[in-house]
Amino acid sequence: MQKDAEIIDFTEITRSADIAADRHGARAKCLQRLVRMDLPVPRTVALSFDAVHRLAQGHVPDTAALLSLFGKAPLVSVRPSSPNQDWGGPASILNIGMNDTRHAALCDSHGETAANALYLRFIQAFSVHVARLDPDMFEPEAPSRDALRAALDAYAEETDEPFPQDPGRQLLEVLRSMARAWEGTTARLLRQAKGAPAEAGLGMLVQAMILGVGPGESGSGVIQFVDGTTGQRRISGRYLPQSQGRDAISVREGALFLARDPRGEALEDRCPDLIAQLRRYGESCRLNLREEMRIDFTVEAGRLWVLDALRVPRSARGAVRIAVMLADEGIIAREDALCRIEPRAVSELLHSQVDPTGPRHVIAQGIAASPGAATGRLVFGSAAAQASAARGEPCILVRRETTPEDIRGMHAAVGVMTERGGMTSHAAVIARGLGVPCVVGISDMRLNRRDGVLITAGGHKLHEGDVITLDGTSGQVLLGGVKMLEPALDDAFHALMRWAGEACDIGVRANADTPADAQTARRFGAEGIGLCRTEHMFFEADRLTVMHEMIFADRPQDRAAVLARLLPMQRADFKRLFEIMQGLPVCIRLFDPPLHEFLPQSREGVKDLADVLGMAVPDVQRRVQALSEFNPMLGMRGVRLGITIPEIYDMQARAIFEATIEASRRGDPVVPEIMIPLVSAMREVELVKTRIDSLAAAVRAERGVDFDYRLGVMVETPRAALRAGDIVQHAAFLSFGTNDLTQMTYGLSRDDAGRFMGSYVKQGVFAEDPFHILDADGVGELLRIGAERGRQARPEVTLSICGEHGGNAESIAFCRAAGFDYVSCSPFRVPVARLAAAQLALSDQARVSHQTGGGQPLAARS
Amino acid sequence: MQKDAEIIDFTEITRSADIAADRHGARAKCLQRLVRMDLPVPRTVALSFDAVHRLAQGHVPDTAALLSLFGKAPLVSVRPSSPNQDWGGPASILNIGMNDTRHAALCDSHGETAANALYLRFIQAFSVHVARLDPDMFEPEAPSRDALRAALDAYAEETDEPFPQDPGRQLLEVLRSMARAWEGTTARLLRQAKGAPAEAGLGMLVQAMILGVGPGESGSGVIQFVDGTTGQRRISGRYLPQSQGRDAISVREGALFLARDPRGEALEDRCPDLIAQLRRYGESCRLNLREEMRIDFTVEAGRLWVLDALRVPRSARGAVRIAVMLADEGIIAREDALCRIEPRAVSELLHSQVDPTGPRHVIAQGIAASPGAATGRLVFGSAAAQASAARGEPCILVRRETTPEDIRGMHAAVGVMTERGGMTSHAAVIARGLGVPCVVGISDMRLNRRDGVLITAGGHKLHEGDVITLDGTSGQVLLGGVKMLEPALDDAFHALMRWAGEACDIGVRANADTPADAQTARRFGAEGIGLCRTEHMFFEADRLTVMHEMIFADRPQDRAAVLARLLPMQRADFKRLFEIMQGLPVCIRLFDPPLHEFLPQSREGVKDLADVLGMAVPDVQRRVQALSEFNPMLGMRGVRLGITIPEIYDMQARAIFEATIEASRRGDPVVPEIMIPLVSAMREVELVKTRIDSLAAAVRAERGVDFDYRLGVMVETPRAALRAGDIVQHAAFLSFGTNDLTQMTYGLSRDDAGRFMGSYVKQGVFAEDPFHILDADGVGELLRIGAERGRQARPEVTLSICGEHGGNAESIAFCRAAGFDYVSCSPFRVPVARLAAAQLALSDQARVSHQTGGGQPLAARS
């Protein structure tokens, strides 16, 4: 039949065969390792990526010759062997070689039931995966002779030809079908979603069948020695007598436990030797493969065979526990343990998660803006959120979008969702800072506050008080409560973080505005505060009133008098932060937002304010209007405010200095860092510095106590980056605020970008959302320019980034390459950032040792 | 008396003396030239800058020795000689050497009246300018013996010492006082305001007095041969018998005309020879000094002396006429004529101006945002402005600030003033484009629209209908009407512009949105349209309705259908522009503004719109809200809109192509340029280009006519500048929009910057308003980077700037240095830009010829 048959390119898996994961796939390589460990692996042959690709292209090899390797009238299985276990692949197919003749022979040797089961399994698999027939044609049935006949008839009916009887053709069809499936669009997209390159190769394994059915103790099972979810050591898996493949897991009925178990019969009860043998194999895998493996085994007439072994699938928590355990036992190096954990996975450990095994009733989908999950009652405003929190009822705050006035509501809520906004909208940034789950940009939901109803695209009408669950990790909104997994800050996590800290060669600080943030930051191992935004401090009710009086004061001396009332509060804020962070640097950004953020926009708000200030409504209205701006992002804020109304910075600097003196009394001396925001010209820094230096001198003189401080600049305008050489003359540090820098470099407001960013990324206009992944080409170039010019003019300058990008592996790689001293990110991103930084440092070291270790140097290869 | 007297450093002005303008001042050098022309100049000695500086520092020279040069008991005058005639200087002092003894002698020789007059003039000048006594002490009186006695007594009374009698001391005091005055703060600030360096030197001239009083024909006068205001050739000036200095001009009573004049007696009637002689001197000055000079002359006993000659002061119009006339007569080269005109002055010629000689009642002062002056009735809104224009009554539109909805009002008004905003606010930009006088940022004025009253800080209450005059050249608001000077687009202006065009080595195009703009641009010699903003085209009432329907259409096909109704209007717009500019390039920027600019913000506006669209108010309200943005400048506009709602660009591109075909039928083929705004990534350009190219193919196929077009990018985000190398792969030209680029590079909205820019510049935080003068260090670096990368990737790319900066000499210098192909500015700035560009080109040529002509090369000197 195979007229054009050519010799197929294959390699039998033996101890010494030339098998490589990047040519034959991970499964092939793993099997070779099992062979080398003397595990009883059936005879297996590996087809290379190249051979499989040629199959897909139409090459017709001599499969009969291949089959002949397995003896006379053999049965074989075919399994995919992709470069990475996680990238998936086509389903394995068993019992190739079964035909009427072989069936008749097996009826004799193994009994009719076993023979029927083997043939039926093959017919079904071939029909579904090779002939692409409808799976529903094959109802699960007892393997009777009738069922077998029905299956063969169904096949012939649908395909207009009898079920193929020639084993060579069977094998060819199976191989070709699997090869083509791998190169199809669906499989390609699926594996790309898992991080595989589009052109990843596929190897295949042809293995002698161990039947698992027939006389004597026969069956198949799966065993693993750790719990993938918790990472705890315990044997799990199942064994099913008279079965093949993964039937023990999928069928369950009649399946046995493995180790002795009070819940029922175990394989150990029947065949204690087999379990002892499997334990030895598991231990051998652990030591030799340096990994927790799940072993697929089959027993045939009492004899144990190992068909395959896979890395135990695991949750983030399981992954951390397993890696740390292997390192603790000296099986792997700590460096390896660090590199085995996906940094993103760590953030799952810090928050509650929706249990992936439970049911989900998704009613809306948005952008996953802050990870973790929470269940609570819906509230539509900050006041309701605070009231709910006061009653001890967890609540989820829903807003069209949040503004600084919502901060207190966000503090009170266990989760936040908004109709508008993107990854770096106000809600997203604040929620990440607070570690509160948050979903933004839920465009298929409409909030009608007036009628007190939230309507989803699916037609759900939710009212205030209804219970929902917010999954900030997936971006889903779920109806009602669901089963949760609690955060996993266990010993293993802390050990991993300790090791990461040792491996890191770039600092990781936290953006922390409140004592609670600072405590979280310390707990997660932040090496200081890289950005303390002070404006949130002014939104508390008593302070807001003072802010209003300050804004309505006309003369500098009046403003100063009003601000003097804020001084003790600010001093207490800073003192508390310094005490929590004692011994570590704290970088305080001076007041940044435009003043109109503190003013009411609504008619009633203006009326209330007029009452409080004892002014006429039109006068209040006029001031509110006068302060309103076309483009607040590009307006009167940051250092511009600091220069125009210097009393604000004066008060803040004094509060910082007095808090420094007080906090230094009871511990290490505190050296605060003061950061000037929104600088675009050197002279701005010079003016502020002059004023702050003289304030420091005044405080020193008044208190008779000396202290140090460092003054620096937040580089967030393109001009500040370009002029870093000038600016650094008055700045001990430059901290790049990548949020605003991205906004200005792109000319794109993060608050307004949400409306089209999704479609922009989908169309590939932007490769990534630049507010999410640092734009290395544009914004990154400004960072490099700023860093170079800053360092050239002042070699000892401290360089850092403190935007939302701070915690991303990509940004950390960028900052390491550019020689930055540290990155700063929200407290809940600190562990992620430290792990990513450690991995980058280790990968660099590996590259260097590879280069100097006699291997071919990298440069020569590229 | 002069105990520490040292020899003074002086040089007598002779043909061969070593006199230099940069050591002795312009007046000294000019006098030497007169001497070389054999004009009868009295003996004169020049003190160098250095000698004067030492005088100011306290050096006490031997002035008696200096005086002895002028013979026995001489009378001398002292005049300042600064490096540049326009920088001013202390007043000249005459008759030094007069004392009681000399008075007695002169009574004998010249008569008592003459002697009294000479002595009295000196006492008064010495008292006021040297002893710094109150000028009011000296009432103008007939030079009687009593008056003389009174003056001497008053001096003694105030100073506690008699009037100094020693001529050496008199001279020393005069010299020292003038030297110190020059170095004082007031004089320094005054001359800095005129463009002088703070440390400019001052020379002084000591000249033998020609008395102008006494027996025979004696007197003094001033003569010039052109009219400084109009530039017309005619003799003007006066002669006053028995007078000195400028008495003929200041006293007038008894003064004679010079040439024969029907209005009264002339010097020519009395002494025709003197006038003939002066005419010869004037002609000699013209030919030798190559300038129109004003000659100070004195006649003593019938003999004519020339004391001094100065460049005739002139208006902008006079300056142009004089320079062109001198060039036409071959006295100066055309290049010199071009370099003699201050480019800024040219813009005065294009607009009506407030007559500088008339009275002004200033009631408010703002930023001079668009030059020229206009008188009209106050209107507070666009509707009123249109109504006023319809009645034929000129009106001045007053707004808190303007928005695109005010465009029609601005078209109808003869002048625009706004309470808020800066040089590049909406009002300013549009007004300059229209050539309408405009004053913005008038912070000492408050518009209360509700009560229909405009209140100035000075307490003036103006109502709608009151007549005011707006001076956009000075930024003043004047009460009532004033005397005006009309625009001066005469032959001389056109000749100058022609020569400028020949000298230019960089193109000058105009930003022109309307046929009227385009006509102005052509009239002023623009070499094309560099920026045609299309959004204004959508604000006309009928089109606005269509825009509203487009915005409220939900499906692409509905939008396309609505836009199809705009197509014929757009096509007509473009066709008209192409016809006016036939033969010249027209660069059309695709639709740029955010859609919410087209929507009403007020409650009534929304109601009206709901009526028109037949929708419910809440639905309209919701759409308006959904489109509103936090930072419109950084939002959904430009290419972002073009990609998200591609139907808009489709319609525009089709309109451009169809207009191209139609306009090419009756003249040169039109090659339109299509510009994509607000680009930040290459892929944006690629997507738009693909769509536009296929539209062009479609139009070619439909019409069966071929045409060319060029597609380019407006570089206005920092990222576009940084990524110019990529972007230019799909762009035939890059036009840098320096307005937006400045906003984004500084992180500063031009609309919001007005509130603090003034104080920022005053405090020196920014050296200049970067929206006014291109920031060469920051924004300029991005321009250089963009230009370099663009040209490297595509050497034939056309580079230009099209922001508000386009017309400034500084920006043009920058663009020439960076190798740009052209600048584009508002039509009324085109002549200024062309002249500035010509001057820069000429100055470069001069430098090159200096370098290659054997002089010391520039590089070696710097």
Side-chain angles (χ1 to χ4, degrees), chain B residues 101-411:
Chain B
T101 317
R102 193 84 177 83
H103 176 255
L106 280 166
C107 284
D108 293 346
S109 58
H110 288 65
E112 187 175 335
T113 309
N116 288 349
L118 294 176
Y119 199 6
L120 202 53
R121 173 186 282 266
F122 178 53
I123 295 166
Q124 288 179 358
F126 193 91
S127 300
V128 172
H129 296 297
V130 181
R132 306 281 167 202
L133 303 184
D134 182 356
D136 294 342
M137 284 168 50
F138 305 96
E139 301 281 320
E141 268 181 285
S144 64
R145 185 163 285 258
D146 286 349
L148 183 61
R149 181 53 43 212
L152 286 168
D153 288 350
Y155 182 92
E157 175 78 13
E158 289 292 323
T159 61
D160 281 336
E161 60 166 17
F163 189 78
Q165 294 293 314
D166 173 37
R169 185 182 152 205
Q170 289 175 351
L171 180 58
L172 176 66
E173 299 278 347
V174 166
L175 291 175
R176 188 154 59 193
S177 144
M178 285 169 70
R180 286 191 176 150
W182 178 256
E183 300 200 351
T185 309
T186 314
R188 195 177 296 230
L189 289 177
L190 277 172
R191 65 178 174 264
Q192 277 185 277
K194 290 169 183 161
E199 299 309 320
L202 180 72
M204 288 200 282
L205 300 177
V206 182
Q207 191 174 59
M209 277 303 300
I210 306 300
L211 298 183
V213 294
E217 182 62 49
S218 293
S220 65
V222 171
I223 187 170
Q224 66 187 42
F225 305 90
V226 296
D227 181 314
T229 306
T230 64
Q232 306 280 2
R233 296 220 66 184
R234 69 176 183 85
I235 286 182
S236 62
R238 286 290 189 280
Y239 169 77
L240 182 64
Q242 298 298 325
S243 78
Q244 294 188 308
R246 295 259 165 107
D247 289 351
I249 301 295
S250 57
V251 176
R252 308 288 295 209
E253 204 172 325
L256 279 56
F257 292 103
L258 298 170
R260 276 196 188 97
D261 195 295
R263 289 169 295 172
E265 191 187 358
L267 181 57
E268 195 167 14
D269 300 325
R270 279 199 197 182
C271 317
D273 287 357
L274 285 185
I275 287 297
Q277 216 174 329
L278 282 169
R279 283 188 205 267
R280 281 200 304 279
Y281 294 167
E283 195 53 25
S284 180
C285 281
R286 244 179 137 232
L287 294 176
N288 289 287
L289 304 186
R290 303 184 304 149
E291 184 47 289
E292 293 290 352
M293 302 301 281
R294 178 156 90 177
I295 295 172
D296 286 58
F297 64 93
T298 299
V299 180
E300 196 177 73
R303 184 172 168 200
L304 178 65
W305 295 87
V306 171
L307 307 190
D308 195 13
L310 285 173
R311 241 171 5 96
V312 172
R314 60 202 71 178
S315 69
R317 173 199 299 224
V320 170
R321 171 75 60 102
I322 290 170
V324 170
M325 204 159 50
L326 289 173
D328 275 344
E329 292 177 32
I331 296 171
I332 61 173
R334 287 179 174 179
E335 289 77 8
D336 292 332
L338 284 170
C339 292
R340 284 185 183 191
I341 311 299
E342 176 71 28
R344 256 178 316 206
V346 170
S347 75
E348 282 181 31
L349 305 182
L350 313 180
H351 304 278
S352 296
Q353 300 293 336
V354 174
D355 188 333
T357 62
R360 291 177 172 236
H361 185 172
V362 178
I363 53 171
Q365 171 80 48
I367 299 168
S370 176
T375 299
R377 295 190 179 278
L378 269 181
V379 292
F380 292 170
S382 285
Q386 289 172 280
S388 179
R391 287 193 306 272
E393 286 179 7
C395 65
I396 308 273
L397 176 65
V398 192
R399 302 286 287 158
R400 181 161 294 153
E401 58 224 330
T402 63
T403 65
E405 295 180 34
D406 292 315
I407 297 273
R408 279 168 293 159
M410 295 177 74
H411 266 282

Side-chain angles (χ1 to χ4, degrees), chain B residues 729-781:
Chain B
Q729 291 170 31
H730 304 290
F733 58 89
L734 299 178
S735 190
F736 292 81
T738 51
N739 291 358
D740 278 12
L741 194 57
T742 300
Q743 299 194 78
M744 290 168 193
T745 305
Y746 274 88
L748 184 53
S749 153
R750 69 182 183 198
D751 291 318
D752 300 311
R755 242 182 323 142
F756 60 91
M757 185 58 79
S759 95
Y760 243 57
V761 173
K762 235 177 262 164
Q763 290 184 67
V765 185
F766 295 162
E768 303 273 2
D769 178 346
F771 294 117
H772 193 201
I773 305 288
L774 182 72
D775 160 44
D777 291 340
V779 179
E781 175 159 19

